[in-house]
Each structure stands twice: as structure tokens, then as C-alpha cells.
Amino acid sequence: MFEAEVAVVGGGAAGLSLAHRLAGRVRGLRTPSVVLVDAPPGPLRPPRRTWCFWEAGRGRFDAALTASWGRLRVRPPTGASIEGDLAPLRYKMIRSDDFETLVGRDLARSPNVRRVEATVETVEDVEGGARVRLRYADGTAGVLGARWVFDSRPLGSLPAARTTLLQHFHGWFVRTARPVLDPSTVEFMDFRTPQPAAGLSFGYVLPTGPHEALVEYTEFSPRLLTGSGYDAAVRNYVHDVLRLGDLDVLATETGVIPMTDAPIPRQVGARVFRIGAAGGATRPSTGYTFAGLQRQTRAVAAALRRGGRPVPPPAHSARSRAMDAVLLRALAGGRVDGPALFCGLFRQVPAPRLLRFLDGRTRLHEDLAIGLRTPIGPMLRSALDLPHLPRRPFDCPPTAPPPLETG
């Protein structure tokens, strides 16, 4: 039986970020012992993925960035595009392999962090701490005793909610024959895609050079597509909308992010907490998670180093979550035209302020000013509906569609 002050379960973005913030000594503060439990290679290990976020200036993980951009573009279904300068912000892209390499190198040098590869079977409260029961790859069992446990594993099912949509996407990492891409600007939302009966869809392009980009088809809707449906949607966007010409598909990326107004508990035991997407770090209205989990892990690490009670804070304010609940209800009920709403906001609100709003960083008067630029009647009716709607379980599991053939 190991003993550690902190057990971190899961080696995805949240688990690695918390371990990284606790690694090493900080003058005048405590240095807790940490065990990070990674799942062995297989279905429980997080798939390779891309994380994006925005921030001003240099960031903690800039050494792992694939690219960053100072401009973004939003395209309505027809008509002129909307472009914006993000200064002082940068839109940043990290691929999980590069993030894991950077963090893993720092953890390997840390005197107070130990990594263990095992499957976590149970996490139990015990007097003064918690017990984590492990199963190693060779079938043997182990037990890890810790004062605090932070569990970042995905939820097995979604809590009951008034509204739940799925953000589901499929993308190609492409290399084009001709230099047809603009590496200075992110195609943030390109609504020249066929729109679903409920929700909305858009294209998304992260150009890393004149020949290379991640090109994705993204949909906000209640149900997933079939595998061939995703393949057809990306192919249509790449060839018929963007007209990129001859290209090679180097890799693919597929995922599903629940967008829900369900309250997600962060404390699940006396000394057991959830962090990351499992702890509510995903912004319900956008699906962005990386910035929210960084706020959570920063606060948890600071509390542990001070010797305080390390309860993960909400990644998003109550006001932000209330606004998200209204938007989700309006989209799910078909009361607002999603492309028109987002294009209108980007047309009327400076891009840096709107990104700060989407990250929950604006003040009340800014939120009110932005809210007045949405369809007020439909949004108000959606807000009045919410108190009368029951919370229901979501019957579509938040699992990714199967890998797809591309070409």
C-alpha cells in the first residue's frame, strides 16, 4: 500500500495539469507528495486530441504549442465574412502528444511526483483520507492510500439536465498540394455548411502553414451522425466549400463534447473530488474545456501548497452557467437561428471582448451589453421556460463515433 498526500487519477489534460502544478518545490510553500495514476495502454487511456484556448501573453504551456493566431474569421451562410484582431489575446492550439511530452519531462525530474500505470477499480472514503484500489496490467492488485484524491476520469453517464446538446466533430489534418491556406487567421465558425434540423453546424480551420491545417466539421445537435455521415460532411466542407484541391489526409480526429446545463458535482466523497470535464470544467455553451480546467487545477494546487482544503472551484461562474442554460434551451427549441446569432455577435462585439465573454471573464455590465445584441424575445422566452422544465436523464451516451476511413 502506497501512501501519498495527493492521488491524481487519470493522465489526461486535467490530471497532468494538476500534477504539473504540484511538481517541485516553491519557496515558502508546502511540497505535497503526489501519485499520478495513468491508465495502461488501451481503451481507458485518453485518445489523442487537440485542445484550443485563448489567453494574453505567454502561457504556462507555450513550449508545447503547435501554433497560435492573432486573428479569427467567422463566415455567415452567405455574404461577407467577419474578421477580427484578437490583440491582446492569442488563440492557441496544443496537441495532446506535445502536451504530454512537455509535462512528462517535468514530472520525471520532480522529487515529489510518482507516476503509476494501473486501472483504478474503486475509490473509497476512509478515516482521514481515501483508498484507491488498483489493477496492474499483469492482473495483480494494489492499493494507494491518499489524504486527497482528484479524479479526472470521464463520467460514465450525464447527470439529469433540462437541456443537453452534443458538440460532435470530425476533422482531417491535411497537407494541400497548393499554398491555399492563410496561416495568420483561424476560421473560427464557418456556417457555409448544411444546417441540421435542430441545432447548428459549422466548419473550423486551424491553419499551421500555407499547406497544412486541421479542418473540422462540427455540429451542435441532440444526436450523433453515422460514421459515413461524418466522412461525407468533412469531405463536402474540404472540397466543395473550401475548395482546397488536391491534398493528403495525414491523420483524423473525432470527438463528442456534452453541452449540458446539468449541475456536475465536484465533490464525490469526504476527500474525493472531480476535476476537468468530469468536474464541470467544460463551458456548456461552447464546449471549450482547457482554460476552465487550468483555473480549477491552479486553485487546487495553490490550496494544497498552503495546507488548505483543496476543493476545486467552479470553472465557470453561476452567471455564466445561467446564460449558457438560456442559450442551450433557445438552440434546442429552435427559437433562435444559431448561425445568425453567432454572426450577429461577432459583427457587433469586438472579438477580444466576445472571447472574454465566452470564457466567463467579462463583468456584469459587459454581459448585459452583449445580451442585448442577441434576439431578446426568444432568449427571454427561453429563460422564462427554464424554471418549469424537469431535469431528465440524457439517453444518448457521450461517446465518440467510431474511427473513420478517409481519403
Side-chain angles (χ1 to χ4, degrees):
M1 181 172 178
F2 303 127
E3 290 296 334
E5 184 167 354
V6 177
V8 180
V9 177
L16 288 172
S17 295
L18 179 55
H20 192 256
R21 292 181 182 280
L22 292 172
R25 296 181 174 86
V26 177
R27 184 184 297 274
L29 297 176
R30 300 178 67 256
T31 306
S33 59
V34 180
V35 174
L36 172 63
V37 184
D38 287 306
L44 296 181
R45 182 165 287 190
R48 293 176 179 174
R49 61 190 65 191
T50 301
W51 299 307
C52 290
F53 57 100
W54 48 88
E55 64 183 348
R58 286 194 55 80
R60 182 181 186 90
F61 303 111
D62 274 9
L65 291 180
T66 302
S68 70
W69 299 268
R71 294 184 60 79
L72 63 73
R73 182 183 296 119
V74 174
R75 294 185 186 268
T78 60
S81 63
I82 306 147
E83 297 192 24
D85 190 310
L86 302 182
L89 303 176
R90 298 285 294 182
Y91 191 83
K92 299 184 177 184
M93 170 188 183
I94 293 183
R95 297 192 70 178
S96 59
D97 285 356
D98 298 324
F99 179 78
E100 290 165 12
T101 298
L102 172 68
V103 172
R105 184 173 62 242
D106 291 346
L107 295 184
R109 296 195 293 256
S110 173
N112 65 310
V113 178
R114 175 178 180 177
R115 299 186 76 167
V116 172
E117 194 171 276
T119 299
V120 172
E121 296 188 329
T122 61
V123 180
E124 308 161 356
D125 281 318
V126 296
E127 184 69 28
R131 180 182 294 122
V132 183
R133 296 194 179 276
L134 309 174
R135 183 71 58 181
Y136 300 102
D138 63 4
T140 59
V143 177
L144 167 63
R147 186 179 180 196
W148 306 103
V149 175
F150 298 91
D151 193 344
S152 66
R153 293 173 297 171
L155 297 175
S157 60
L158 294 177
R162 295 188 177 102
T163 311
T164 298
L165 293 176
L166 299 175
Q167 179 180 152
H168 44 117
F169 55 89
H170 182 62
W172 292 355
F173 291 88
V174 302
R175 179 180 291 130
T176 63
R178 296 180 294 112
V180 292
L181 295 159
D182 176 7
S184 69
T185 304
V186 171
E187 295 280 356
F188 191 68
M189 286 178 146
D190 184 347
F191 292 109
R192 295 177 297 170
T193 53
Q195 296 300 310
L200 59 89
S201 74
F202 56 90
Y204 177 57
V205 184
L206 299 176
T208 56
H211 292 270
E212 296 86 26
L214 168 59
V215 183
E216 287 190 348
Y217 171 83
T218 299
E219 191 169 301
F220 296 179
S221 62
R223 293 290 180 269
L224 304 179
L225 305 182
T226 64
S228 61
Y230 289 103
D231 197 35
V234 180
R235 191 180 300 277
N236 172 75
Y237 182 58
V238 165
H239 293 298
D240 298 340
V241 178
L242 295 179
R243 300 183 182 278
L244 297 185
D246 293 338
L247 54 82
D248 293 321
V249 179
L250 308 179
T252 64
E253 177 176 275
T254 303
V256 181
I257 302 170
M259 304 171 68
T260 176
D261 65 358
I264 298 178
R266 300 180 306 282
Q267 183 163 357
V268 292
R271 292 175 177 265
V272 181
F273 306 97
R274 289 190 179 127
I275 56 172
T282 301
R283 181 75 194 261
S285 61
T286 66
Y288 284 92
T289 304
F290 194 82
L293 70 84
Q294 295 306 326
R295 288 193 286 272
Q296 274 190 340
T297 56
R298 185 187 305 119
V300 168
L304 287 165
R305 287 193 181 276
R306 292 193 308 266
R309 183 170 175 80
V311 180
H316 309 287
S317 70
R319 186 169 77 244
S320 294
R321 297 195 304 274
M323 291 187 294
D324 287 354
V326 174
L327 175 61
L328 290 177
R329 173 47 43 189
L331 287 173
R335 283 184 170 144
V336 297
D337 179 304
L341 183 148
F342 283 105
C343 288
L345 288 175
F346 276 98
R347 198 175 279 116
Q348 299 176 73
V349 181
R353 184 184 305 165
L354 190 52
L355 289 186
R356 287 193 298 108
F357 171 77
L358 294 177
D359 203 26
R361 298 282 189 160
T362 43
R363 298 178 180 178
L364 176 59
H365 72 276
E366 294 174 299
D367 292 347
L368 292 173
I370 291 171
L372 291 173
R373 288 166 171 78
T374 65
I376 295 175
M379 299 296 273
L380 182 58
R381 288 195 296 274
S382 298
L384 294 174
D385 275 354
L386 285 174
H388 308 289
L389 294 175
R391 295 190 181 274
R392 301 181 186 278
F394 189 64
D395 61 1
C396 182
T399 56
L404 306 170
E405 296 292 333
T406 61

